[in-house]
């Protein structure tokens, strides 16, 4: 049973909340009981002090001792076994007077009572008397008598503590009864609150189930704002997976379509009639087929998950690519300038970013006039990325650009040196629902701008 609770989110929350509630109620009941007992003790101490003031009012000196009347106004002092006892001790701790209510205790005078108190000292405590089944509440007060306070006495009042204990016990039972009922009500309310609070999660699970059963292509529902990032990322992940499947189908279809022409040429050649021409045709078509396969493979591996991936630092990657290109094109002096902040991040696949930057910068090194400016920054929402690559080369005409980015163009129709690389960049940008365009740069060449 416990294992099932721990495997459930609502079960864990309910169990933890119930444990916290029980601990809180236990602490609360202890505090309330202690406060109630302290309040009763203070009230009892004040009441017993009034009894001592009554004894003081009737006490008369008799040499070194004190005398009190046989009958006192408080009738319980006059009745044996009344539960209220009065006594006076001298400075040596001897009982010099006791009330009539102590007559049923023949050994009361020999009882080991606490030491006498100094003048003005007061002590309230609970004591155990010999042969008595219940404890007694005790209040003692030190009194000085005489003109020079030369005679010291201790007035003592004892009262049966059984009624006090019964009152505390009744309070405890009532308190626990109401706290128990309150805890049951709180647990029931807590379960309802948890059920209501976790309802959005159940809605997400239901939406996933409907989607699995073919009822919807995305997670649909009115979800709380705390779950919107989760559902949006799930929808994006689902969309990316669907787009990847479509891309794989399109890539295979494009590959088959692109291979038809070279295969038709190979089928139509006559190696017997023209061996040398057939060999040239074979070499040419094999080269074309290799180019087609390389291009389609690059398109197939280009991923498209702009979703819940953590951000990839752009600056180190761009610097690494520029450093590698400086070594590749060491024969060609290229002045490349990178404008990219340390905090610029790309929320996507690192391989896609490297593929895009690698192709764009390689084209700038290869076809530029020796000057290259690379500007990379995040968009205003800090989730998008903007890449601008400018060079001082001959640039790209609109016709050339349209030919490069046109969807469905076979690989053998791409321009040498720009067709495959830029086509892969266009595919990656499209997979991220981004934009790519070309224009004239301030350096005099082409400016390619990518927004993801």
């Amino acid at each position: 049973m416990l294992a099932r609770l721990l495997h459930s989110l609502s079960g864990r929350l309910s169990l933890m909340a119930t444990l916290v509630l029980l601990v809180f109620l236990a602490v609360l009941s202890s505090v309330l009981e202690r406060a109630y007992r302290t309040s009763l003790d203070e009230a009892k101490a004040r009441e017993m002090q009034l009894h001592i003031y009554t004894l003081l009012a009737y006490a008369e000196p008799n040499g070194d001792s004190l005398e009190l009347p046989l009958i006192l106004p408080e009738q319980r002092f006059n009745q044996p076994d009344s539960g209220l006892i009065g006594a006076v001790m001298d400075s040596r701790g001897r009982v010099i007077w006791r009330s009539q209510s102590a007559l049923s205790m023949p050994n009361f005078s020999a009882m080991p009572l606490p030491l006498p108190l100094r003048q003005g000292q007061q002590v309230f405590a609970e004591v155990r008397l010999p042969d008595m089944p219940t404890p007694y509440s005790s209040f003692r007060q030190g009194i000085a008598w005489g003109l020079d306070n030369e005679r010291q006495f201790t007035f003592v009042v004892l009262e049966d503590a059984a009624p006090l204990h019964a009152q505390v016990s009744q309070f405890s039972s009532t308190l626990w009864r109401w706290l128990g009922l309150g805890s049951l009500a709180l647990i029931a309310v807590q379960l309802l609150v948890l059920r209501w609070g976790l309802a959005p999660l159940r809605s997400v699970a239901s939406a996933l189930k409907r989607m699995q059963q073919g009822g919807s292509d995305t997670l649909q529902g009115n979800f709380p704002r705390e779950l919107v990032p989760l559902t949006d990322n799930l929808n994006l992940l689902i969309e990316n997976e669907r787009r990847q499947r479509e891309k794989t189908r399109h890539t295979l279809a494009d590959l088959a379509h692109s291979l038809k022409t070279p295969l038709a040429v190979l089928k139509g050649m006559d190696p017997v009639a023209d061996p040398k021409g057939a060999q040239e045709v074979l070499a040419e078509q094999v080269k074309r087929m290799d180019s087609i396969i390389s291009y389609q493979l690059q398109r197939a591996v280009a991923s498209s998950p702009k979703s819940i991936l953590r951000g990839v630092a752009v600056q180190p990657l761009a610097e690494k690519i520029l450093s590698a290109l400086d070594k590749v094109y060491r024969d060609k002096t290229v002045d490349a300038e990178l404008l990219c902040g340390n905090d610029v991040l790309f929320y996507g696949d690192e391989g896609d970013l490297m593929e895009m930057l690698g192709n764009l910068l390689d084209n700038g090194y290869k076809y530029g006039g020796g000057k290259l400016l690379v500007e990379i920054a995040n968009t205003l929402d800090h989730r998008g990325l903007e890449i601008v690559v400018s060079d001082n080369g001959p640039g790209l005409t609109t016709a050339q650009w349209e030919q490069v980015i046109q969807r469905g163009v076979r690989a053998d129709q791409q321009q040498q040196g720009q067709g495959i690389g830029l086509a892969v960049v266009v595919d990656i940008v499209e997979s991220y629902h981004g934009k790519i365009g070309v224009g004239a740069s301030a350096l005099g060449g082409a400016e390619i701008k990518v927004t993801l």
Side-chain angles (χ1 to χ4, degrees), residues 368-423:
K371 193 170 182 63
L372 189 66
L373 176 61
V374 183
E375 301 172 271
I376 307 176
N378 284 122
T379 55
L380 293 178
D381 61 358
H382 299 289
R383 294 289 296 183
L385 188 71
E386 187 174 270
I387 304 170
V388 180
V389 179
S390 306
D391 62 45
N392 60 342
L396 281 172
T397 65
T398 303
Q400 289 173 325
W401 180 254
E402 292 296 332
Q403 186 179 6
V404 169
I405 66 173
Q406 184 179 356
R407 182 174 179 80
V409 174
R410 297 197 305 272
D412 58 299
Q413 293 177 330
Q414 306 301 312
Q415 296 183 27
Q416 178 65 29
Q418 290 183 337
I420 294 178
L422 287 180

Side-chain angles (χ1 to χ4, degrees), residues 41-294:
D41 287 343
E42 291 176 353
K44 180 58 67 177
R46 290 193 297 269
E47 179 185 342
M48 297 177 76
Q49 188 177 34
L50 291 177
H51 290 316
I52 286 182
Y53 290 158
T54 300
L55 296 178
L56 281 172
Y58 285 90
E60 295 291 341
N62 183 11
D64 292 336
S65 182
L66 289 178
E67 288 186 355
L68 282 90
L70 188 64
I71 303 299
L72 294 170
E74 174 56 59
Q75 293 301 317
R76 293 175 65 195
F77 282 132
N78 307 322
Q79 300 172 1
D81 297 328
S82 64
L84 181 64
I85 301 171
V88 179
M89 295 189 299
D90 61 13
S91 58
R92 291 180 291 178
R94 296 176 303 175
V95 178
I96 60 175
W97 177 84
R98 58 177 179 171
S99 63
Q100 296 293 322
S101 56
L103 294 178
S104 59
M105 302 177 184
N107 298 324
F108 181 83
S109 299
M111 289 179 184
L113 294 175
L115 294 177
L117 303 179
R118 298 186 303 274
Q119 179 185 1
Q121 187 177 2
Q122 299 175 349
V123 176
F124 176 80
E126 192 173 273
V127 297
R128 285 271 181 184
L129 301 180
D131 303 326
M132 299 303 295
T134 59
Y136 273 71
S137 299
S138 167
F139 190 89
R140 297 180 296 136
Q141 183 170 345
I143 302 296
W145 210 283
L147 296 177
D148 297 326
N149 298 328
E150 67 276 7
R151 286 172 289 181
Q152 301 289 328
F153 301 98
T154 300
F155 281 68
V156 181
V157 174
L158 302 172
E159 187 172 4
D160 189 1
L164 188 66
H165 287 184
Q167 194 171 355
V168 173
S169 178
Q170 182 180 5
F171 174 80
S172 297
S173 62
T174 303
L175 175 65
W176 275 105
R177 182 167 59 252
W178 283 107
L179 286 179
L181 293 175
S183 63
L184 291 177
L186 286 176
I187 290 174
V189 171
Q190 163 193 297
L191 293 176
L192 292 175
V193 170
L194 284 175
R195 182 174 180 83
W196 174 74
L198 295 176
L201 292 179
R202 289 192 295 272
S203 299
V204 173
S206 300
L208 280 172
K209 188 174 182 180
R210 287 194 302 270
M211 190 182 65
Q212 290 171 351
Q213 294 174 349
S216 175
D217 293 333
T218 58
L219 292 176
Q220 297 178 354
N222 186 19
F223 303 113
R225 64 175 180 271
E226 292 81 4
L227 292 180
V228 169
L230 172 65
T231 55
D232 287 348
N233 281 325
L234 285 175
N235 283 330
L236 190 55
L237 193 61
I238 294 165
E239 175 66 16
N240 286 333
E241 192 272 338
R242 183 184 64 80
R243 288 175 61 85
Q244 193 64 37
R245 287 202 312 267
E246 292 180 357
K247 175 190 266 189
T248 303
R249 273 199 310 270
H250 292 159
T251 302
L252 291 176
D254 291 346
L255 178 60
H257 179 73
S258 300
L259 290 176
K260 284 182 180 180
T261 299
L263 286 176
V265 173
L266 290 176
K267 288 180 181 179
M269 72 179 183
D270 188 357
V272 177
D274 186 7
K276 185 178 180 181
Q279 187 176 4
E280 293 177 356
V281 170
L282 178 61
E284 180 185 357
Q285 296 306 317
V286 167
K287 184 177 180 180
R288 292 175 64 188
M289 292 173 69
D290 179 67
S291 176
I292 291 171
I293 293 172
S294 298

Side-chain angles (χ1 to χ4, degrees), residues 12-29:
R12 288 185 180 186
L13 292 175
S14 300
L15 180 61
M16 185 56 63
T18 301
L19 290 177
V20 170
L21 175 63
L22 293 178
V23 171
F24 172 76
L25 291 178
V27 173
L28 178 64
S29 65

